[in-house]
Amino acid sequence: MSGPHPGLSRRRFLGGSLLVVGGAVLPACQSDPIGGSAGSAKVTLNHWYHEYGEQGTREAALRYAADYTKQNPDVAVKVTWVPGDYKTKWQSSVLTPEGPDVYEINEVTPDMVAQQQVTALDDILGSAKAELNPHALSPLTHGGKAYGVPMIIDVMLLYYRKSLLAAAGVAAPATLTELVGAAKALTKGKTKGIFVGNDGLAGMRGVLPFSVGQSVLTDRRVSYATPEIADAFAVARRMFTEKSMLLGYATEWYDPGALITGATAIAWGGLWALPRISKELGDDFDLVPWPAHGPTGKPVVILGGWSQVVNGKSKHVAEAKKYVQWLWLRNNEVQQDWALSYGFHVPPRAGLAAQAEPLRTGPAKKVVDLLNQYGTRTTALWAPTVSKPYDDAASDIIRKNADPLATLTAAAGRSQEALDKLPTV
């Protein structure tokens, strides 16, 4: 996902770095990676992670680093667990060669490539590239080169309460028009029909262009100011104006609490929420993709997730690449463990996703099938400077009743100006 990981509970963890040397975990400030306490290690790799909310993730990261060091005693891996505003911290850290050798991102922007904050990884991807979900690779790819390796895939789609739909005589929506009608019919008493975010936009604005069979970008051309996308906004706006949307709830869309408590009948959410929803609701839920709109429309499932990159300014690029290759391309056990033992995600490699036992039955299998059939996401050119005019336009259309096509057209000009300023790489 773009920006802070929306599936995280942000449980409290201690920040700071830990150094893994010869299989032992030591505080980095108490180790000399070049001296005697580092054993035979000749190179220290600093591996940054953002502060995951799922319990056990930091311990897992340390265990992987320890295992790698045992197999490669010339290399010590320092795991740095970064709390708080991870994006701001990594952006400042990679300005010099003293930054992390390996770090996590959601997408690789052209600026990152131009400023050598990343390096191409095609030489380590090898045959595994064909097995990686192409939509997971798209925000990491420029000029045909891949600058990152996906670690996990998050899948976002619609959940609904079967009992509430049955009581209202409403079928699972297959079109946007049906979704609008269902949301209105399901709004009764303390229950609202749909929850896509406390602002009425968060989960919806990104899917509407895809739902008509189009996209916000076509190569380096902004393409969201079309009559079809404008019409999708006009139809979707009715859920806001008809007061069918749950707004200002105690938690955001990435937490399934609103669906579980019955505050909403339909909710935009992620695969990460499935275990809790299953535990709390039993069989009283199902899921569908965001529905299609118009004659060329397509259902939509959005991909998100985290990926690993190697800092192009690192003093140890070759060693960092070898470490990333071992961790995220060759070590099947690590990849399944990271995706499914602490949170609930899809391994990016198709073969591992197909083999993963928790994803082979029930609603989880349905999510994976929908991912394979309808999964998509924007490319790495959808940078914050490019997307902000669109986000502002979406807010004005939905919340302020602005003219959809005129508002999108004006915003598209500003987005194109921002896009034209991005480096060509």
Side-chain angles (χ1 to χ4, degrees), residues 297-314:
K298 299 177 181 179
V300 184
V301 169
I302 292 291
L303 280 71
W306 289 92
S307 301
Q308 297 266 277
V309 296
V310 171
N311 186 355
K313 294 189 179 79
S314 167

Side-chain angles (χ1 to χ4, degrees), residues 28 31 377 390:
S31 302
R377 69 179 295 176
Y390 171 82

Side-chain angles (χ1 to χ4, degrees), residues 14-39:
L14 296 175
S17 303
L18 296 175
L19 183 67
V20 181
V21 181
V25 179
L26 303 169
C29 60
Q30 297 177 10
S31 302
D32 179 0
I34 307 302
S37 65

Side-chain angles (χ1 to χ4, degrees), residues 132-199:
L132 290 168
N133 185 295
H135 295 295
L137 273 176
S138 68
L140 311 172
T141 303
H142 293 280
K145 296 180 180 179
Y147 290 88
V149 177
M151 303 157 59
I152 55 174
I153 291 177
D154 285 324
V155 186
M156 288 153 277
L157 69 181
L158 290 171
Y159 289 88
Y160 66 89
R161 292 283 298 270
K162 291 193 291 187
S163 60
L164 295 179
L165 268 67
V170 173
T175 67
L176 180 58
T177 301
E178 289 179 5
L179 178 63
V180 172
K184 184 176 182 179
L186 291 163
T187 299
K188 298 178 180 180
K190 295 182 179 180
T191 299
K192 289 290 188 178
I194 190 168
F195 183 44
V196 298
N198 281 319
D199 61 353

Side-chain angles (χ1 to χ4, degrees), residues 34-377:
I34 307 302
S37 65
S40 59
K42 299 175 182 177
V43 169
T44 297
L45 297 177
N46 190 354
H47 186 177
W48 276 35
Y49 291 84
H50 80 284
E51 185 183 28
Y52 281 82
E54 295 94 342
Q55 189 173 4
T57 46
R58 186 172 67 164
E59 292 78 8
L62 292 168
R63 187 172 66 252
Y64 306 155
D67 289 345
Y68 185 77
T69 300
K70 289 177 183 177
Q71 297 179 34
N72 301 271
D74 285 349
V75 178
V77 180
K78 182 170 71 171
V79 173
T80 300
W81 206 250
V82 183
D85 187 355
Y86 174 75
K87 184 173 183 178
T88 297
K89 292 176 181 177
W90 77 249
Q91 285 178 330
S92 61
S93 74
V94 297
L95 295 177
T96 73
E98 306 308 318
D101 301 282
V102 179
Y103 62 102
E104 296 182 311
I105 49 85
N106 299 118
E107 62 276 317
V108 173
T109 64
D111 306 79
M112 294 172 67
V113 178
Q115 296 168 21
Q116 293 185 293
Q117 296 171 357
V118 292
T119 190
L121 301 179
D122 298 84
D123 54 335
I124 66 169
L125 284 170
S127 60
K129 186 174 183 179
E131 203 184 359
L132 290 168
N133 185 295
H135 295 295
L137 273 176
S138 68
L140 311 172
T141 303
H142 293 280
K145 296 180 180 179
Y147 290 88
V149 177
M151 303 157 59
I152 55 174
I153 291 177
D154 285 324
V155 186
M156 288 153 277
L157 69 181
L158 290 171
Y159 289 88
Y160 66 89
R161 292 283 298 270
K162 291 193 291 187
S163 60
L164 295 179
L165 268 67
V170 173
T175 67
L176 180 58
T177 301
E178 289 179 5
L179 178 63
V180 172
K184 184 176 182 179
L186 291 163
T187 299
K188 298 178 180 180
K190 295 182 179 180
T191 299
K192 289 290 188 178
I194 190 168
F195 183 44
V196 298
N198 281 319
D199 61 353
L201 288 162
M204 183 172 70
R205 63 188 170 205
V207 299
L208 290 176
F210 292 117
S211 75
V212 301
Q214 298 177 17
S215 182
V216 291
L217 296 178
T218 303
D219 297 324
R220 292 186 69 95
R221 181 176 61 84
V222 173
S223 55
Y224 61 71
T226 69
E228 295 81 10
I229 294 175
D231 186 63
F233 269 98
V235 173
R237 177 170 59 194
R238 287 169 41 199
M239 294 187 287
F240 184 86
T241 58
E242 293 173 354
K243 302 186 184 305
S244 304
M245 285 183 163
L246 177 64
L247 304 171
Y249 190 67
T251 56
E252 256 298 355
W253 66 269
Y254 45 78
D255 184 288
L259 187 77
I260 291 169
T261 62
T264 187
I266 303 173
W268 180 254
L271 176 62
W272 59 82
L274 182 57
R276 181 179 166 196
I277 292 173
S278 297
K279 180 181 179 181
E280 298 287 345
L281 298 181
D283 293 331
D284 186 23
F285 78 95
D286 205 343
L287 35 85
V288 290
W290 185 272
H293 181 63
T296 60
K298 299 177 181 179
V300 184
V301 169
I302 292 291
L303 280 71
W306 289 92
S307 301
Q308 297 266 277
V309 296
V310 171
N311 186 355
K313 294 189 179 79
S314 167
K315 299 175 183 177
H316 308 294
V317 168
E319 292 86 354
K321 283 186 175 184
K322 183 180 177 182
Y323 170 57
V324 169
Q325 184 181 44
W326 175 86
L327 194 59
W328 302 116
L329 294 168
R330 292 183 173 175
N331 198 319
N332 293 356
E333 182 179 347
V334 161
Q335 292 156 47
Q336 289 210 37
D337 182 62
W338 187 249
L340 293 162
S341 295
Y342 314 102
F344 205 63
H345 317 276
V346 178
R349 289 171 52 202
L352 290 183
Q355 296 168 18
E357 196 62 36
L359 302 177
R360 297 182 67 180
T361 58
K365 183 179 185 302
K366 184 173 183 179
V367 171
V368 175
D369 290 343
L370 290 173
L371 164 67
N372 292 334
Q373 190 171 5
Y374 301 122
T376 192
R377 69 179 295 176

